[in-house]
Amino acid sequence: MNKTQLKKIRDTLVKKQTLVFDQLTKSQKNQAFKFNDLYKTFLDQSKTEREATRQIVKTARDNGFVNIDTLISKNLTPKSSKKYQTKKVYKVFQDRCVALAVLGKDSLVKGANIIASHLDSPRLDLKQNPVYEDLSMGLLKTHYYGGIRKYHWLAVPLALHGTIVTANGTMDITIGESLDDPVFTVTDLLPHLAGKLQANKKLSEAFEGEKLNLIAGSIPLGGKKEKDRFKLGVLNLLYEKYKITEEDFVSAEIEAVPAEKARDIGFDRSMIGSYGQDDRVCAYTSFKAILDTLSCDRTAVALFFDKEEIGSEGSSGAKSNFLEDFMSDLLFIRGQDMGNRSLRKALINSSCLSADVNAAMDPDFKGVHEEMNAAKLGFGVCMTKFTGVGGKSGSSDASAEFVGKIRQIFNKNKIVWQTGELGKIDEGGGGTVAKFLAKFGMNVLDCGPAVLSMHSPFEISSKADVYMTYLGYKAFYTDNDSDHNFGHDSGNNFGNGK
Ligand SMILES: [Zn+2]
């Protein structure tokens, strides 16, 4: 066999792995960088799930999305009202989870194209009785949220973001984001004395959750004989500035998050370092994708959940009824609400990308990955067929048919994609919202960019991957080949839409 024949065989048979920067033209690269500048602004303005919700809703409204609850309460469905000739609706739940939809031409009973991400990120939450004093300092107790490596949170500047329900109403606070603001921090032990307590211990035992306390002040209130005067100093300032009392913390959600802004990484500025990219990178890219979806056959839905980092529990997590509620509202305003069966069919006929990050292979920690099946930074949006631990336990394993469908959409639209597993089989693992959507019977595939230093206060993404993820999500929304159902009952024998 000659060289030309061999090359032909290689070119035809061997799977190609494309580096996004090898494929982008100069102008596409500029577009990608511009897109990422906006993404960085979103990250800086959205350090909590509530803030991300506010940003999404504000921009959605500016882009013509209408509150579906308002439409329904005023009986102003897009069909019935001249005032609301909108195809674009949104719904907010508990100020911390959001759904957007662009109504498609097809009947919703045939299913929607859904992209589901989450807005919450690991952090330190203030406890309900946080304020105390020790060694002439005022301190705040925290209880960490989500999977953190505790040592990441020591000796770094932290900002407080949150919502407090007082006797006089609800207020939001942000302290530590402006350069003039004070910040808060958890102390760490000096290396000279860390031998017994940290250095010689197993990493999992060297840092205790109860020691993640924030320094909050050191000027006392009152004279030397005054009891608890450092705690009193903190409480007094809180009252002077925000009119909050110690009891108000009971009904507060205050999160300590890294005070740093999103930054470019590298001489070539090709990457972004920031807190909260898991999963606001998927939230932002799917949000931009649905904003840019001007018309579609299948209804496009973007879901932004809370509580993924603690197992999707609670009324705002993916295990809740939020999606069913939103879908029945959509059926209602489309005049396709024929009861429970139409809702079930709309859900089972839907296709879903579970938009979450995967772990990129790390040059310093290659050993935890199986190289042939690990995602790498810069190689495009990553399809993760299954997550889970050990033998795929706890995972929603996407069907070959659905992976094939998404692969076909991506290839057709020149989206650079790769596949990934979350580490070596016996190394560990994790999960996403995928299985909580798959329970409705819809096809679900995990799909998002890979990041380095995942769950750290400074996660790293590739600008090329962020941009490809956005383009990939947009292609998924606007794909007009309606063959999404792979043998499901399409349910199109009823429902009065097209
Ligand atoms: Zn995530």
Side-chain angles (χ1 to χ4, degrees):
M1 198 170 282
N2 64 34
K3 273 191 178 173
T4 319
Q5 286 169 315
L6 266 175
K7 186 179 179 302
K8 199 179 164 198
I9 288 173
R10 177 182 294 282
D11 288 351
T12 320
L13 299 186
V14 179
K15 176 171 168 272
K16 286 160 204 71
Q17 181 98 311
T18 310
L19 183 78
V20 180
F21 282 121
D22 279 339
Q23 177 164 304
L24 294 182
T25 62
K26 202 174 169 201
S27 93
Q28 285 171 325
K29 191 182 144 207
N30 286 341
Q31 270 176 297
F33 273 54
K34 271 186 201 153
F35 182 90
N36 277 276
D37 284 341
L38 296 171
Y39 167 49
K40 281 187 289 177
T41 307
F42 176 79
L43 286 170
D44 292 341
Q45 292 170 341
S46 312
K47 289 198 178 181
T48 68
E49 55 284 357
R50 286 175 190 261
E51 289 171 358
T53 297
R54 257 175 255 148
Q55 290 300 324
I56 288 169
V57 170
K58 184 180 171 297
T59 312
R61 290 171 69 110
D62 291 347
N63 281 271
F65 282 76
V66 177
N67 190 332
I68 198 165
D69 294 331
T70 312
L71 283 180
I72 290 171
S73 68
K74 294 188 179 164
N75 215 8
L76 295 171
T77 66
K79 274 185 177 171
S80 68
S81 165
K82 284 197 176 109
K83 196 178 167 197
Y84 287 101
Q85 286 299 330
T86 183
K87 284 187 188 155
K88 301 191 280 189
V89 290
Y90 73 89
K91 188 181 187 81
V92 185
F93 188 61
Q94 293 187 347
D95 295 334
R96 67 181 83 206
C97 82
V98 198
L100 307 181
V102 175
L103 302 176
K105 296 180 190 119
D106 293 348
S107 162
L108 186 57
V109 177
K110 289 184 182 174
N113 285 352
I114 299 172
I115 302 181
S117 61
H118 66 92
L119 300 175
D120 60 318
S121 293
R123 76 247 174 181
L124 306 181
D125 284 343
L126 290 199
K127 290 196 187 198
Q128 267 32 71
N129 297 307
V131 192
Y132 72 106
E133 70 168 59
D134 202 356
L135 290 173
S136 310
M137 279 184 289
L139 295 120
L140 300 169
K141 283 191 174 293
T142 71
H143 192 134
Y144 67 88
Y145 172 98
I148 64 163
R149 315 215 51 198
K150 291 174 197 133
Y151 67 86
H152 282 158
W153 294 80
L154 310 178
V156 291
L158 298 170
L160 295 180
H161 290 234
T163 299
I164 304 160
V165 179
T166 71
N168 303 316
T170 303
M171 85 174 102
D172 297 312
I173 58 157
T174 308
I175 313 165
E177 289 298 334
S178 150
L179 277 180
D180 306 333
D181 281 357
V183 292
F184 307 85
T185 193
V186 180
T187 56
D188 195 5
L189 205 48
L190 62 169
H192 320 61
L193 299 178
K196 255 193 231 162
L197 279 177
Q198 290 177 348
N200 298 335
K201 277 189 180 172
K202 270 167 57 181
L203 189 59
S204 57
E205 289 161 8
F207 305 94
E208 295 168 39
E210 289 297 351
K211 288 186 177 168
L212 299 175
N213 300 312
L214 300 171
I215 291 191
S218 64
I219 300 177
L221 190 73
K224 289 176 193 165
K225 286 189 180 154
E226 193 64 41
K227 195 173 164 268
D228 294 338
R229 61 198 188 120
F230 293 92
K231 171 178 171 175
L232 221 50
V234 170
L235 287 176
N236 186 51
L237 282 170
L238 282 169
Y239 190 76
E240 274 181 4
K241 190 133 197 234
Y242 305 103
K243 295 280 174 287
I244 55 177
T245 68
E246 189 175 15
E247 193 178 295
D248 292 330
F249 283 104
V250 170
S251 49
E253 288 173 353
I254 301 175
E255 307 178 11
V257 296
E260 300 296 326
K261 307 274 185 244
R263 304 290 296 266
D264 288 343
I265 294 186
F267 292 115
D268 56 10
R269 298 176 172 265
S270 58
M271 293 161 279
I272 290 176
S274 171
Y275 167 67
Q277 298 203 68
D278 175 5
D279 184 32
R280 294 177 197 130
V281 65
C282 295
Y284 185 73
T285 46
S286 59
F287 177 49
K288 290 295 274 186
I290 200 166
L291 287 185
D292 291 347
T293 300
L294 302 176
S295 80
C296 43
D297 287 353
R298 282 164 68 86
T299 292
V301 173
L303 293 172
F304 308 91
F305 285 114
D306 180 28
K307 299 286 187 276
E308 193 273 345
E309 299 294 358
I310 56 168
S312 297
E313 307 288 350
S315 49
S316 53
K319 281 187 193 171
S320 73
N321 290 339
F322 181 58
L323 172 59
E324 287 155 284
D325 188 46
F326 185 58
M327 287 293 265
S328 40
D329 285 353
L330 290 177
L331 286 164
F332 180 77
I333 64 164
R334 294 294 301 269
Q336 293 162 359
D337 184 20
M338 317 261 293
N340 183 262
R341 186 161 192 270
S342 51
L343 174 61
R344 278 189 290 114
K345 293 299 166 193
L347 288 166
I348 202 169
N349 290 329
S350 287
S351 299
C352 177
L353 295 182
S354 162
D356 211 338
V357 297
N358 199 328
M361 196 156 179
D362 185 321
D364 281 331
F365 303 103
K366 279 186 188 167
V368 299
H369 296 277
E370 185 270 285
E371 195 162 355
M372 277 176 62
N373 285 286
K376 292 165 197 84
L377 219 62
F379 286 85
V381 60
C382 176
M383 295 195 275
T384 305
K385 188 173 179 296
F386 53 85
T387 58
V389 181
K392 305 191 183 181
S393 181
S395 162
S396 158
D397 195 355
S399 72
E401 289 86 344
F402 189 53
V403 180
K405 173 78 195 171
I406 301 303
R407 176 185 150 207
Q408 181 202 328
I409 293 173
F410 285 177
N411 284 342
K412 199 167 71 188
N413 290 278
K414 297 197 165 49
I415 306 302
V416 182
W417 57 269
Q418 57 179 326
T419 60
E421 275 184 11
L422 193 61
K424 273 184 181 164
I425 296 169
D426 296 329
E427 202 69 45
T432 62
V433 299
K435 61 178 173 179
F436 308 117
L437 296 151
K439 76 175 180 189
F440 296 112
M442 65 180 72
N443 279 295
V444 184
L445 173 65
D446 278 296
C447 184
V451 298
L452 288 168
S453 302
M454 192 203 288
H455 278 215
S456 82
F458 198 63
E459 299 171 316
I460 300 169
S461 62
S462 155
K463 290 185 179 177
D465 294 340
V466 173
Y467 189 60
M468 266 311 144
T469 302
Y470 153 72
L471 293 178
Y473 290 164
K474 201 164 79 170
F476 172 68
Y477 278 143
T478 47
D479 175 61
N480 284 329
D481 173 3
S482 60
D483 178 27
H484 277 252
N485 298 319
F486 319 116
H488 276 157
D489 174 2
S490 71
N492 55 4
N493 51 343
F494 71 102
N496 56 6
K498 266 211 285 180

